Amino acid sequence: MDKLVVNNLSKSFAEVQALKAVDLSLAEGKVLAVLGPSGCGKTTLLRCIAGFEIPESGSIQVDGATLFDSQRFVKPERRKIGYVPQHGVLFPHLTVAKNIGFGLPKRTMSTEQIRHRVEEMLELVGMVGLASRMPHELSGGQQQRIALARALAPSPALVLLDEPFSALDAGLRQSLREEVKNTLNSINATAIIVTHDQEEALSMADSVAVMREGECIQMADPVTIYRHPADLKVATFVGEASLIQGRVTGAHADTQIGSLPLAQAGLFRPGDTVTVMLRPEQFVLSNAAQDTISAQVLKSVYCGHSTLVEVQISAALGNEKLQVRLHGAQQFQPGESLHLQVQGQAMAYAAEPGEK
Amino acid sequence: MLAVLLLAALSSLPVLYVILRAQDAGWAYSAELLLRPRIFELLVNTLKLAAGATLLSCLIGVTTAWLVERSDLSYRKVWNAIVTLPFAVPAFISAYSWISVFPRLEGFYGAVLVLTFSNFPLVHLPVAAALRGMDPALEETSRSLGFGRIATFFKVVLPQLKVAILGGGILIALHMLAEFGALSFLNYETFTTAIFDQYYVAFNSAAAAMMTLVLLLLCMGMLFLEFLIRGRGYYATERKGSPGEIELVALGKWKPVALLFLVLLTIMAAGAPLGIITYWLLVGSSAALDLPDLLNTLQITLSFGLGGSVLAVIFALPLVFLAVRYQGKFATLADRIPYFIHSLPGIVVGLTLVFFAVRYAFVLYQTVPLLLIGYAMLFLPMAQSAIRAALVQVSRQLEEVALSLGKNALSVFMRITLPLIAPGVGAGLALVFLQIMKELTATLLLRPSGVDTLATKVWELTDNAQYAASAPYAAALILISGLPVYLLTMRSFTRSSKREKVFDG
Ligand SMILES: Nc1ncnc2c1ncn2[C@@H]1O[C@H](COP(=O)(O)OP(=O)(O)OP(=O)(O)O)[C@@H](O)[C@H]1O
Ligand SMILES: [Mg+2]
């Protein structure tokens, strides 16, 4: 059964409609990443689920129990939903241990049990020994981890994390990401992580929901989101994309760089004009001169593990510019000639005039 | 450097004064004076008043701050302004207005009530600011961890308010130690009023000096308390741009009670004194109003206020720069000493300056410069904190950029720094000006003979129960000191506007 079901949720502030009929569902023990540009309503969605905003319409269910619909509104303190706000604020007047133990019920737990649980949580987030520190004596990353431990300590039904890594540098981000994922997995927690970093979403989550202007555009597992984005905007938001015009012929699209197999069958009629999307890493270098695309390097951006190269395909093929991701071991100079091959299937979208 | 030394010298003067006086009177006699039962009696009185008024003020101030910041009362901005109105009425004027109508208000309870009414805004303002500045995410997190609104208030909100409440409370306690005018009307004896009596009525300087010693010790005790509180972690929370609208609590059936409370409070704290003065003003119009004298007094008061506040700001500027821009012993000293001076009651500063002027610089005795020095000394810390708040916002880099563009230090100061801290300087001037308008004790001791400010004029006339005759002076005083209060508090309120919403339940 689904842990969380959000149905047709809408919320607007004065003139902005922050959520437009959002539907979501999330299975027990899974991590959902909510991905979207700034201001698209991610925080608002979390706050509605946590009970800090009252939506105009729709319903929210956790474990089959309705937390919100047109008749019901369960107060936030009764929802048992862990919440780590966008800046992970700790209670500044309490020690780390007291922060973590804050939500543990004093009525049903002895002091000893609470102490034990706090110790357990500190271990979980890898911060043993810092129990008596005050929040202002912690680094930003440590504070984030304690905020997470505090949310997880009472074993909530669901955990909501609002951009938990936004304030951190790249290195710390990476390692904390791993830790948080492991932490969530180890207690089989169901969680929603809000982020506007596509890499974070794809690497951490079991499923990804892409939001735009208050709407949930697509919700699927990371591979589907990346390989088969619902539309061109999603495609360009979750990664780099090479776009090229084409014409549908059965299960293929004819383009200037050849006939490409399409991932979706039967969506378009033969003869339809479409925009074809390929991921840059679908291009590989080829030695053969046959059946390849010859192109000239315009510029290359070195990313360490790979090199993102912008190429212009030869005049005979129509001078199109393409993004290509090649192995980082090799360097490319502007003006250099390459031979490329395409691997895998392409996505086709109805061509909009003026769309590139 | 020079400024800090001067400051250190100024602050050691009162101690020196006590020592020299004790020496004059003979150590044995001084000790005897110090250990009288009378001193103990005064000590009990003083502490009782300080504790009573401070506690009551904290209760009222926290309640009003919460109502204004967190409840769904309508016209909360208006209420915020109204609640701070008592600031505009000097305590001694409010005391005399009550006494002129209800002479039975004399004594401990009357003193606690009247002084609470005129001092509770000192708790209201910082607490309201703290409530306003608190990150809503803190409360939300507590709710998501299973605590209702009331539990959250006590477990999360109140601890964050502690510093604001205690800070305001200590300020009020210090005011209680220093209060003179109101208490002499209310006929309640504390060290300050007793010192004044000894000095003015009994002409016993040695006894006055010994009482001053105890008063000084009390003030230092307060300061130490404040130091302890500040030392134990001053955690200011900031809103970090969380999509934070603070949740307003629906008062429901309590709304009429809350309104009644605010209305009663307003009537008692501001309405009654203002009403009574208006009454005397109307009654008094039959008694010939000495308009030229009123204008003359007004002019003297304004020029004292202007002179004193400018002097205080001139002193404050280098001190603030030293404290903010340079590290080191001197800088810390420049930062700390003002707190000590700030805790000195007007009567102590007055007596000290009189003592040294009479002894070593008789030309200064009872002159305007000495009076202005007294004002500057008393209110320097206010100017300092206002300017400081502005200066810490001016990035050092900005000045460095200007320097790198080839301007010399002076022109950088004049063209970059000064314009940027101008609001702070303005606030400092206004604050000090306001305080000088209301100042009574030091003015009584230091003014040139025959020169009256509005405050001393009111005091003299009302001391002889000439209520009607004093009313025009009192009204003028309220009008010119009420305006700065209003501006300052409204400014602090409108500085952070916020998004709000109402939750039911
Ligand atoms: N309390 C509020 N009052 C008015 N508008 C609001 C309020 N809260 C959010 N909004 C608006 O709703 C929209 C969605 O805001 P939200 O905070 O959910 O965005 P977000 O996706 O979390 O963005 P970010 O990535 O920058 O955190 C924005 O246009 C925002 O301006
Ligand atoms: Mg957000």
Side-chain angles (χ1 to χ4, degrees), chain B residues 371-490:
Chain B
L371 180 61
L372 294 187
I373 290 174
Y375 286 149
M377 196 167 154
L378 273 171
F379 303 124
L380 181 65
M382 291 192 157
Q384 234 173 323
S385 65
I387 297 172
R388 191 198 166 99
L391 186 63
V392 291
Q393 313 247 308
V394 180
S395 146
R396 182 96 188 98
Q397 264 118 313
L398 222 52
E399 292 167 7
E400 283 166 359
V401 168
L403 283 173
S404 75
L405 291 172
K407 303 283 173 224
N408 65 24
L410 183 67
S411 92
V412 169
F413 176 78
M414 297 308 283
R415 292 175 53 181
I416 308 286
T417 318
L418 201 57
L420 286 175
I421 61 171
V425 174
L429 279 174
L431 265 173
V432 176
F433 183 83
L434 171 69
Q435 295 305 315
I436 293 177
M437 297 291 103
K438 304 204 287 191
E439 215 294 324
L440 175 65
T441 335
T443 315
L444 280 174
L445 293 172
L446 292 173
R447 69 192 159 140
S449 56
V451 173
D452 268 312
T453 66
L454 287 172
T456 61
K457 192 84 184 179
V458 170
W459 190 75
E460 272 169 5
L461 289 170
T462 47
D463 212 27
N464 307 328
Q466 291 173 286
Y467 298 126
S470 74
Y473 298 95
L477 179 50
I478 290 170
L479 281 182
I480 54 169
S481 62
L483 193 67
V485 166
Y486 190 77
L487 292 180
L488 285 172
T489 55
M490 284 324 268

Side-chain angles (χ1 to χ4, degrees), chain B residues 268-286:
Chain B
M268 300 293 278
L274 291 174
I276 294 169
I277 288 177
T278 315
Y279 164 79
W280 286 118
L281 209 53
L282 296 179
V283 171
S285 60
S286 52

Side-chain angles (χ1 to χ4, degrees), chain A residues 13 16 18 37-44 86 163 196, chain B residues 245 499:
Chain A
F13 299 106
V16 204
S38 186
C40 70
K42 305 181 296 288
T43 299
T44 308
Q86 194 152 1
E163 306 202 20
H196 52 231
Chain B
E245 25 341 271
R499 296 176 290 174

Side-chain angles (χ1 to χ4, degrees), chain A residues 49-312:
Chain A
I49 297 174
F52 301 126
E53 304 278 358
I54 304 179
E56 272 107 49
S57 62
S59 70
I60 300 170
Q61 280 149 353
V62 171
D63 282 330
T66 302
L67 297 185
F68 172 82
D69 63 15
S70 49
Q71 278 109 50
R72 279 178 72 82
F73 173 78
V74 176
K75 288 189 188 177
E77 61 264 34
R78 305 211 174 283
R79 293 192 179 194
K80 292 203 182 314
I81 293 179
Y83 174 55
V84 181
Q86 194 152 1
H87 301 277
V89 277
L90 299 178
F91 301 121
H93 60 296
L94 300 178
T95 60
V96 164
K98 291 239 173 75
N99 260 286
I100 296 178
F102 190 86
L104 297 175
K106 291 236 168 49
R107 245 172 262 141
T108 54
M109 286 175 81
S110 69
T111 326
E112 185 51 35
Q113 278 172 315
I114 290 183
R115 208 188 53 79
H116 185 75
R117 179 73 178 149
V118 167
E119 207 50 43
E120 219 172 72
M121 295 315 297
L122 278 172
E123 209 163 308
L124 198 65
V125 295
M127 302 258 309
V128 182
L130 297 186
S132 52
R133 293 262 191 100
M134 294 302 283
H136 63 89
E137 297 166 331
L138 300 178
S139 75
Q142 291 171 328
Q143 291 187 21
Q144 298 265 25
R145 279 188 267 180
I146 299 300
L148 181 69
R150 179 179 61 189
L152 294 178
S155 317
L158 179 66
V159 192
L160 310 176
L161 305 166
D162 196 350
E163 306 202 20
F165 314 115
S166 56
L168 309 177
D169 65 74
L172 192 57
R173 232 175 139 112
Q174 180 67 41
S175 64
L176 207 53
R177 222 184 257 167
E178 296 280 308
E179 279 171 40
V180 168
K181 191 173 160 98
N182 291 340
T183 306
L184 293 175
N185 281 342
S186 65
I187 57 172
N188 196 31
T190 313
I192 301 184
I193 296 185
V194 158
T195 171
H196 52 231
D197 178 334
Q198 40 98 5
E199 206 180 305
E200 196 163 289
L202 297 178
S203 65
M204 284 191 74
D206 300 300
S207 59
V208 178
V210 180
M211 287 187 65
R212 199 163 59 221
E213 287 169 15
E215 278 178 284
C216 179
I217 305 292
Q218 186 177 13
M219 182 170 153
D221 61 287
V223 175
T224 309
I225 290 278
Y226 190 73
R227 293 252 180 91
H228 310 300
D231 62 25
L232 275 174
K233 279 191 187 149
V234 174
T236 47
F237 189 72
V238 297
E240 285 91 10
S242 279
L243 305 178
I244 193 163
Q245 300 303 315
R247 188 178 296 275
V248 176
T249 57
H252 285 65
D254 275 342
T255 69
Q256 287 158 327
I257 57 171
S259 172
L260 303 171
L262 292 180
Q264 327 103 299
L267 257 184
F268 299 98
R269 278 168 304 155
D272 281 355
T273 339
V274 290
T275 301
V276 177
M277 191 279 296
L278 285 166
R279 292 297 180 193
E281 59 276 8
Q282 286 184 274
F283 294 92
V284 290
L285 280 178
S286 157
N287 299 329
Q290 253 177 347
D291 270 346
T292 59
I293 311 153
S294 54
Q296 237 185 3
V297 175
L298 288 178
K299 68 176 186 205
S300 81
V301 180
Y302 183 63
C303 317
H305 47 81
S306 66
T307 306
L308 199 60
V309 186
E310 188 172 270
V311 300
Q312 184 163 38

Side-chain angles (χ1 to χ4, degrees), chain B residues 172-370:
Chain B
I172 292 178
L174 282 172
H175 280 199
M176 291 307 107
L177 297 185
E179 183 58 55
F180 163 70
L183 291 175
S184 78
F185 286 120
L186 291 160
N187 214 354
Y188 186 78
E189 270 208 313
T190 63
F191 276 111
T192 300
T193 61
I195 292 169
F196 196 82
D197 280 347
Q198 286 295 339
Y199 179 80
Y200 241 59
V201 184
F203 298 108
N204 187 342
S205 315
M210 287 308 107
M211 289 178 186
T212 308
L213 175 62
V214 185
L215 190 56
L216 267 179
L217 288 177
L218 282 178
C219 293
M220 273 143 98
M222 292 289 171
L223 273 193
F224 186 64
L225 213 64
E226 140 121 85
F227 182 73
L228 277 187
I229 294 161
R230 260 185 213 284
R232 271 214 322 255
Y234 177 75
Y235 23 74
T237 60
E238 277 167 41
R239 344 174 99 240
K240 297 182 181 157
S242 318
E245 25 341 271
I246 285 174
E247 178 185 331
L248 295 179
V249 176
L251 289 173
K253 61 179 190 293
W254 291 100
K255 204 174 240 177
V257 182
L259 271 178
L260 189 70
F261 167 74
L262 286 178
V263 168
L264 275 181
L265 184 68
T266 311
I267 291 177
M268 300 293 278
L274 291 174
I276 294 169
I277 288 177
T278 315
Y279 164 79
W280 286 118
L281 209 53
L282 296 179
V283 171
S285 60
S286 52
L289 167 64
D290 192 349
L291 193 61
D293 185 61
L294 176 64
L295 289 180
N296 185 31
T297 315
L298 182 63
Q299 192 214 331
I300 290 171
T301 313
L302 288 177
S303 59
F304 283 179
L306 213 59
S309 52
V310 168
L311 197 63
V313 165
I314 290 175
F315 266 119
L317 272 173
L319 288 173
V320 172
F321 265 87
L322 197 62
V324 173
R325 287 281 189 257
Y326 306 95
Q327 249 78 75
K329 281 231 168 54
F330 266 122
T332 333
L333 212 59
D335 210 31
R336 285 290 142 75
I337 294 177
Y339 285 105
F340 172 69
I341 299 184
H342 188 49
S343 77
L344 293 179
I347 191 144
V348 175
V349 171
L351 280 181
T352 306
L353 289 181
V354 166
F355 173 78
F356 283 101
V358 168
R359 251 199 200 192
Y360 304 109
F362 200 76
V363 278
L364 278 179
Y365 180 57
Q366 293 199 330
T367 59
V368 175
L370 190 67

